């Protein structure tokens, strides 16, 4: 029994050494990244002199620097810069500009949840949801959804006197939106997620309630991935 226990301890120690060996890379120096961005001039979609959110992710010897910048309009700006650890330093490989300016969170070894929801009264609301995997030096979607919601936009139009413009939308679908949540990942494999689909049809404006009259349909499905 003692010999077996000793063998188990040895396996744990060897596993720990293996983990340390896999993660011996030093963290990337963001000042170096910012200097390179100023020098190479690739980052046209993000103004690096302005405020932005920076997220840094590591996948073995690959590092992803994700910059997200909140902008006016229906989308934000974002870029991803990919680095590879070579000869004791992080070497720049390529930069990708993201048309929909999504934010990013790591949910597995090389799996990511990408999401964007932009809502302002003067614009239609846009949503982007996806689960992506990092394949070498690019992000590829496993699942992907886009949604749009004109509710607040049309409310703003009505209360500011654009009644004729508002009335043109009566009978139309003014919201067709998708939201992904409760994502389940096991051993770096996407297993399931919940998907909420919201549809709204405009009926008019309720002056008593001071709100839009809509026919709403909301469905929530648990999607099991193969």
């Amino acid at each position: 029994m003692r010999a077996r226990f000793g063998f188990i301890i040895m396996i744990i120690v060897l596993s720990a050494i293996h983990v340390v060996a896999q993660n011996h890379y030093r963290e990337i120096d963001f000042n170096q990244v910012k200097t390179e961005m100023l020098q190479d001039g690739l980052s046209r979609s993000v103004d690096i002199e302005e405020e932005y959110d920076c997220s840094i992710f590591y996948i073995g010897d690959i590092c992803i620097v994700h910059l997200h910048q909140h902008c006016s309009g229906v989308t934000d700006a974002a870029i991803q810069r990919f680095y590879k650890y070579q000869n004791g330093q992080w070497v720049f490989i390529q930069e990708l500009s993201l048309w929909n300016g999504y934010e990013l969170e790591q949910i597995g070894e090389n799996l990511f949840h990408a999401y964007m929801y932009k809502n302002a009264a003067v614009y239609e609301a846009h949503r982007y949801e996806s689960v992506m995997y990092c394949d070498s030096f690019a992000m590829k979607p496993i699942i992907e959804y886009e949604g749009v919601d004109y509710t607040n936009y049309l409310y703003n139009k009505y209360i500011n006197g654009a009644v004729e413009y508002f009335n043109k939308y009566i009978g139309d679908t003014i919201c067709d939106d998708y939201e992904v949540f409760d994502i389940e990942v096991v051993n770096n494999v996407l297993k399931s997620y919940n998907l909420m689909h919201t549809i709204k049809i405009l009926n008019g404006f309720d002056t008593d309630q001071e709100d839009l009259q809509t026919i709403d349909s909301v469905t929530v499905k648990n999607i099991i991935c193969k």
Side-chain angles (χ1 to χ4, degrees), residues 148-181:
V148 64
D149 187 350
Y150 288 80
T151 304
N152 290 338
Y153 170 75
L154 289 173
Y155 175 85
N156 183 63
K157 285 290 187 182
Y158 188 94
I159 64 174
N160 282 288
V163 178
E164 289 187 10
Y165 181 88
F166 175 91
N167 288 339
K168 292 178 182 179
Y169 284 83
I170 293 178
D172 289 351
T173 298
I174 62 169
C175 174
D176 189 359
D177 194 17
Y178 294 89
E179 184 175 357
V180 173
F181 60 99

Side-chain angles (χ1 to χ4, degrees), residues 26-51:
R26 62 179 174 84
E27 293 184 356
I28 197 166
D29 181 359
F30 184 66
N31 287 326
Q32 169 201 341
V33 174
K34 188 172 181 179
T35 298
E36 291 174 352
M37 290 165 62
L38 289 168
Q39 290 174 346
D40 61 36
L42 296 175
S43 308
R44 296 185 180 90
S45 61
V46 168
D47 185 351
I48 59 178
E49 298 301 330
E50 298 294 330
E51 185 176 351

